[in-house]
Amino acid sequence: MKVAIMGYGVVGSGVAEVLKKNHESILKKSTLSQLDLKYILDIRDFPGDENESLLVRDFNLILNDSEVGIVVETMGGLRPAFDFVSACLRAGKHVVSSNKELVAEKGFELLKIAEEKNVNFLFEASVGGGIPIIRPLSQCLAANEIDEICGILNGTTNFILTKMINEGMDFESVLKMAQDNGYAEKDPTADIEGFDACRKICILASLVYGKHVYPEEVHTEGITRISIADVEYARDFGGVIKLIARAKKLDENKIFAMVSPMLVPGESQLSTVDDVFNGILVKGDSIGDVVFYGRGAGKLPTASAVVGDVIDCARSSGKKKFFGWGEGAPGYVADYLDAETSLFIRAEAENPCEALDAAKKTFGQITLLARTAAPGRELAFITPAATERELRTKLETLHILTPLSVIRVAES
Amino acid sequence: MKVAIMGYGVVGSGVAEVLKKNHESILKKSTLSQLDLKYILDIRDFPGDENESLLVRDFNLILNDSEVGIVVETMGGLRPAFDFVSACLRAGKHVVSSNKELVAEKGFELLKIAEEKNVNFLFEASVGGGIPIIRPLSQCLAANEIDEICGILNGTTNFILTKMINEGMDFESVLKMAQDNGYAEKDPTADIEGFDACRKICILASLVYGKHVYPEEVHTEGITRISIADVEYARDFGGVIKLIARAKKLDENKIFAMVSPMLVPGESQLSTVDDVFNGILVKGDSIGDVVFYGRGAGKLPTASAVVGDVIDCARSSGKKKFFGWGEGAPGYVADYLDAETSLFIRAEAENPCEALDAAKKTFGQITLLARTAAPGRELAFITPAATERELRTKLETLHILTPLSVIRVAES
């Protein structure tokens, strides 16, 4: 069987590298007599590249070549990836993708085509880079009802937050450093605004709860407004601020899903997931808490997940994988304001003592937090748990203080 | 399709419970129209049990019933489990087992029969309870060459060590408490002597490196000789003592494998795996470090892993899974004394200062450790890295001190 790669960027070139480097053991595991890379599709030139002879610019060469049984899509973006992938599936080819945008937006549609054509559409690399998560969720944990899944799904923002926490650097300085080091993109919007984490939690939620969850349905906040002051108060609380993506089952026809910075207590397994690492916590009804930890991005980790899927396609040719991923439904994702939470509130006030008294009267039992060298007008506290709507409504009545930060508190 | 359970103990009754509780979603995931429990084999009586009507004592009822397509083996032990499982496979039935002793001793043989008969023999629950590890290793990480796998694979010993570390209780007291609470068996030998962890690392090593590793080939030490003094010195070093099971590739025809207590530095992800939890660290050439964390035992976690395999058998009927698990070979597991390590040595001497001087002369650069209220004649230090054989030979020449504890130090 022959393999084609569409998109010769970081991940695509990693796939070519892993296929070559571990060719012998991959072939053995594929249980095929032959599994070779035949084409690499890219519109760019790569003069002198070791795979130059495989490079093509015409997608139809791949589509119409019956020798090509498995197509790897590592182009990223929705177009033309969606058109190419759906055409390949329709032509009876297995497709393996690392493209989280594609899977988050078009997963249901593509899985439906794959099912009709009795081929596989696999996407282990789209969440958590090399960390095995899609297959464990859809297979190993199949006997569980998953109550909740929450995780640190974006390495760039976790790197930035870790530097802020451990070295007291401010957001802008770390972002610049991360860009200089190649940990963050020149346009870091998708990472720092939470869009990347949002796509990933959409994929996990769709897989686990059985209906397609679209990114626009998920309330998403990034980390751009997190300050060192927030980080210091979090430490006083015995916790850390992390960008957390969450999905939770409410009932048969409703889930909660959100991406936002959260104050994570030190006892949580996620509190020690640092730097560019990802961590995913799954709560199952039978299994209890399970955590998956590893590098969530990077050329070779991601490529190795792609190649794992390629091997699986080769092995199970003619036998498609089952994902219980159905169509989305209006109103399926609940309004996040109806969810229960505690809030960390940092604010300023002319008279912080009076403001704290007012906060106590409004919220009831609050937990006061302190940090060294806080400005005289600053105050910070944690509210009791209530629906977010109720807490925000109460906060709006507190004219005596001006909120500077409002961050949700994770359960420990 | 019908399912039979052999062995109605803790795990077996959990399997019956999970099959019933999540029947609807399990049926959907199995892609079958029917998946029902038909028999439970046990020699004991369970009067009044909700599944009493399914209980049988005659194995041949299951073996000869062509409706039974999947047999779950949760009996434990080698006999008669091996005879029953091999007979079921030969009769063309899929078998799912949680029995680590069976898989560690007979995995190659049973997989061979399964392959000949084109059925599945699956055993996700045999390692790490509910933590998905077998399938991720054999599928998701298939594109990786696994350099090393090491983990905390036994919950009972980890519970005991955690209590010793966090509460300063001695081994005997915690063991008694664990037995009273049901965390440890009345006969705790298999746990505290490391035999249980040894079976599990044999299964993982066989799977990952492709040749059957037998328990008797793996040097195994338990935790019975770990003292509070060792725990305190480990803390001074910034680490903790854990029972670590390891396997490492040396070359195509040789691996290293061992189970022993180790001094684990605080930076290691395994150092924070506490209580009855298990943690498994996998080092792949492409993926880097990946950690799997969760409850390594217990009725429902283990049962949910078994049922995950049952679903997989139902889905992939007629299409067998591939495990690259070949026959064992003499000399395949290297002599552990040839492996490089540092040693933590706690000793006593008439004159500790003189003994330390002698230790420095013998080993070279040593790291001295201290603990509060140490007896006047006690000393403790860490040697530089060398082969264990070399270090032990040197230690034997040091007549000036009497070793009380010798514990290997894990790389961070």
Side-chain angles (χ1 to χ4, degrees):
Chain A
M1 190 179 289
K2 302 288 185 184
V3 177
I5 296 173
M6 306 194 295
Y8 198 49
V10 173
V11 178
S13 61
V15 172
E17 185 180 330
V18 171
L19 280 174
K20 191 169 186 177
K21 187 176 62 165
N22 297 341
H23 182 261
E24 200 182 329
S25 72
I26 289 169
L27 190 63
K28 191 177 157 203
K29 287 171 187 164
S30 76
T31 64
L32 297 178
S33 59
Q34 184 219 61
L35 186 70
D36 294 313
L37 185 57
K38 185 163 183 182
Y39 301 107
I40 298 172
L41 180 73
D42 207 294
I43 49 168
R44 294 167 291 181
D45 284 325
F46 296 85
D49 187 278
E50 58 174 331
N51 292 310
E52 204 177 357
S53 63
L54 307 179
L55 277 154
V56 296
R57 287 166 183 244
D58 180 4
F59 168 65
N60 289 312
L61 274 175
I62 294 170
L63 185 66
N64 299 326
D65 188 333
S66 61
E67 265 199 328
V68 174
I70 302 170
V71 178
V72 169
E73 186 271 305
T74 48
M75 310 168 72
L78 264 187
R79 305 277 168 181
F82 175 67
D83 309 294
F84 288 2
V85 168
S86 44
C88 288
L89 292 170
R90 285 210 176 86
K93 298 178 195 303
H94 300 294
V95 176
V96 174
S97 175
S98 65
N99 182 342
K100 50 214 164 227
E101 192 175 354
L102 179 70
V103 183
E105 296 285 355
K106 301 289 184 184
F108 168 69
E109 232 170 298
L110 293 170
L111 284 168
K112 204 162 157 243
I113 302 172
E115 190 167 358
E116 286 162 12
K117 293 292 173 180
N118 203 30
V119 291
N120 280 313
F121 175 56
L122 301 182
F123 41 88
E124 179 65 67
S126 66
V127 181
I131 307 174
I133 179 70
I134 303 288
R135 192 171 280 104
L137 276 181
S138 58
Q139 294 189 17
C140 309
L141 304 181
N144 282 258
E145 300 293 329
I146 306 291
D147 300 320
E148 188 175 349
I149 180 158
C150 62
I152 294 168
L153 300 180
N154 180 272
T156 304
T157 47
N158 203 43
F159 174 82
I160 293 173
L161 290 171
T162 302
K163 285 279 172 197
M164 291 175 72
I165 293 162
N166 291 348
E167 299 176 24
M169 291 173 70
D170 65 37
F171 174 78
E172 295 298 340
S173 316
V174 195
L175 176 58
K176 197 178 167 313
M177 195 188 82
Q179 285 173 315
D180 293 346
N181 290 343
Y183 288 155
E185 313 253 349
K186 287 215 177 84
D187 176 3
T189 315
D191 290 322
I192 63 178
E193 295 295 356
F195 304 148
D196 174 78
C198 174
R199 289 170 190 146
K200 291 168 178 168
I201 196 69
C202 285
I203 296 171
L204 296 180
S206 303
L207 203 62
V208 161
Y209 297 125
K211 289 197 174 101
H212 196 130
V213 176
Y214 292 93
E216 64 266 28
E217 298 175 296
V218 176
H219 179 76
T220 299
E221 298 173 19
I223 63 162
T224 55
R225 284 179 297 180
I226 302 298
S227 72
I228 286 295
D230 301 324
V231 166
E232 290 176 355
Y233 283 117
R235 185 175 299 135
D236 183 47
F237 180 69
V240 285
I241 294 173
K242 296 284 185 189
L243 183 66
I244 300 290
R246 279 187 300 160
K248 190 173 176 166
K249 186 168 197 169
L250 299 177
D251 60 44
E252 280 315 308
N253 298 306
K254 234 175 183 52
I255 67 159
F256 164 84
M258 173 151 71
V259 175
S260 76
M262 294 191 86
L263 204 173
V264 178
E267 306 87 61
S268 165
Q269 283 289 321
L270 295 180
S271 70
T272 53
V273 175
D274 284 340
D275 299 318
V276 296
F277 283 85
N278 285 16
I280 304 159
L281 168 64
V282 180
K283 292 174 189 269
D285 68 339
S286 299
I287 201 181
D289 290 5
V290 180
V291 179
F292 302 82
Y293 169 95
R295 282 183 189 278
K299 179 176 178 169
L300 291 183
T302 310
S304 84
V306 169
V307 176
D309 278 350
V310 168
I311 293 171
D312 214 15
C313 288
R315 264 189 217 173
S316 59
S317 212
K319 184 83 199 175
K320 73 175 174 18
K321 299 268 160 188
F322 172 80
F323 295 105
W325 180 324
E327 204 159 354
Y332 173 60
V333 180
D335 187 337
Y336 75 98
L337 289 172
D338 291 330
E340 191 145 300
T341 186
S342 297
L343 293 178
F344 158 83
I345 296 171
R346 181 169 66 89
E348 60 179 12
E350 279 303 330
N351 186 330
C353 290
E354 262 180 46
L356 275 174
D357 276 344
K360 276 181 205 161
K361 277 187 197 122
T362 306
F363 290 110
Q365 189 71 43
I366 61 173
T367 305
L368 195 63
L369 298 178
R371 64 170 181 135
T372 44
R377 296 176 52 183
E378 191 178 75
L379 63 151
F381 58 89
I382 289 176
T383 72
T387 67
E388 183 162 341
R389 189 185 310 281
E390 190 181 335
L391 294 175
R392 297 229 177 232
T393 307
K394 282 181 175 170
L395 182 58
E396 274 170 27
T397 67
L398 272 175
H399 301 294
I400 193 170
L401 55 77
T402 311
L404 301 172
S405 286
V406 178
I407 299 174
R408 295 166 192 92
V409 180
E411 288 166 44
S412 58
Chain B
M1 191 179 285
K2 301 288 185 184
V3 177
I5 296 173
M6 304 194 295
Y8 199 49
V10 173
V11 178
S13 61
V15 171
E17 186 180 330
V18 172
L19 281 174
K20 191 170 187 178
K21 186 176 65 167
N22 298 340
H23 181 261
E24 201 182 327
S25 72
I26 289 169
L27 190 62
K28 192 177 155 203
K29 287 170 189 166
S30 76
T31 66
L32 297 179
S33 58
Q34 186 220 58
L35 186 70
D36 294 314
L37 185 57
K38 186 163 181 182
Y39 301 108
I40 298 172
L41 180 73
D42 207 293
I43 48 166
R44 294 167 292 182
D45 284 324
F46 296 86
D49 187 278
E50 59 174 329
N51 292 311
E52 203 177 357
S53 64
L54 306 180
L55 278 154
V56 296
R57 288 167 182 243
D58 180 5
F59 167 66
N60 289 311
L61 273 174
I62 294 170
L63 184 67
N64 298 325
D65 188 332
S66 61
E67 266 200 326
V68 174
I70 302 170
V71 178
V72 169
E73 186 272 306
T74 48
M75 311 168 70
L78 264 187
R79 305 277 167 178
F82 174 68
D83 309 294
F84 288 3
V85 168
S86 46
C88 288
L89 292 171
R90 285 210 176 84
K93 299 178 194 302
H94 301 294
V95 176
V96 173
S97 175
S98 66
N99 182 341
K100 50 213 165 233
E101 192 176 353
L102 178 70
V103 183
E105 295 285 356
K106 300 288 185 185
F108 168 69
E109 230 169 303
L110 292 170
L111 283 167
K112 204 163 158 240
I113 301 172
E115 192 168 356
E116 285 162 11
K117 293 292 173 179
N118 202 31
V119 291
N120 280 313
F121 175 56
L122 302 181
F123 42 88
E124 180 63 68
S126 66
V127 181
I131 306 173
I133 180 69
I134 302 288
R135 192 171 280 102
L137 277 181
S138 57
Q139 295 188 15
C140 309
L141 304 181
N144 282 258
E145 300 292 328
I146 306 292
D147 300 319
E148 187 174 349
I149 181 158
C150 61
I152 294 169
L153 299 180
N154 179 274
T156 304
T157 46
N158 202 43
F159 174 82
I160 293 173
L161 290 171
T162 302
K163 285 280 172 196
M164 290 175 72
I165 293 162
N166 291 348
E167 298 175 26
M169 292 171 70
D170 64 38
F171 174 78
E172 294 297 339
S173 315
V174 196
L175 175 60
K176 194 177 171 312
M177 196 188 80
Q179 284 173 314
D180 292 346
N181 290 341
Y183 288 156
E185 313 254 351
K186 286 212 179 88
D187 175 2
T189 315
D191 291 322
I192 63 177
E193 296 294 356
F195 304 148
D196 175 78
C198 174
R199 287 169 190 149
K200 292 169 178 168
I201 197 68
C202 285
I203 296 172
L204 297 179
S206 302
L207 205 60
V208 160
Y209 297 124
K211 288 199 174 99
H212 196 130
V213 177
Y214 292 93
E216 64 266 28
E217 297 175 297
V218 176
H219 179 76
T220 299
E221 298 174 19
I223 62 163
T224 54
R225 282 179 298 178
I226 302 298
S227 72
I228 286 296
D230 301 323
V231 166
E232 289 175 356
Y233 283 116
R235 184 177 299 133
D236 183 47
F237 180 70
V240 285
I241 294 172
K242 295 285 186 189
L243 183 66
I244 300 290
R246 281 186 298 160
K248 190 172 178 169
K249 186 168 194 165
L250 299 178
D251 60 46
E252 282 314 310
N253 298 307
K254 233 173 183 54
I255 68 160
F256 164 84
M258 172 151 70
V259 174
S260 76
M262 293 192 86
L263 203 172
V264 179
E267 306 87 60
S268 165
Q269 283 290 321
L270 294 180
S271 71
T272 54
V273 175
D274 283 339
D275 298 317
V276 295
F277 283 85
N278 285 16
I280 304 160
L281 169 63
V282 180
K283 293 174 188 268
D285 68 339
S286 300
I287 202 182
D289 289 5
V290 179
V291 180
F292 302 82
Y293 169 95
R295 282 182 188 279
K299 178 176 177 168
L300 290 182
T302 309
S304 85
V306 169
V307 175
D309 277 350
V310 168
I311 294 171
D312 213 15
C313 288
R315 266 189 214 171
S316 58
S317 211
K319 184 83 199 172
K320 72 175 175 16
K321 299 270 162 187
F322 172 80
F323 296 105
W325 179 324
E327 205 159 353
Y332 172 58
V333 180
D335 187 337
Y336 73 99
L337 289 172
D338 290 330
E340 190 146 297
T341 186
S342 296
L343 293 179
F344 158 84
I345 296 170
R346 181 169 66 88
E348 60 180 14
E350 279 303 330
N351 187 332
C353 291
E354 262 180 45
L356 275 175
D357 276 344
K360 274 180 208 163
K361 277 188 197 123
T362 305
F363 290 110
Q365 189 72 43
I366 61 174
T367 305
L368 196 63
L369 298 177
R371 64 170 182 135
T372 44
R377 297 176 48 183
E378 193 179 73
L379 65 150
F381 58 89
I382 289 176
T383 72
T387 67
E388 184 162 340
R389 189 186 309 281
E390 189 182 334
L391 294 175
R392 296 221 177 239
T393 306
K394 282 181 174 172
L395 181 59
E396 274 169 27
T397 67
L398 272 175
H399 301 295
I400 193 170
L401 54 79
T402 311
L404 301 171
S405 286
V406 178
I407 299 174
R408 296 166 192 91
V409 180
E411 288 166 46
S412 58

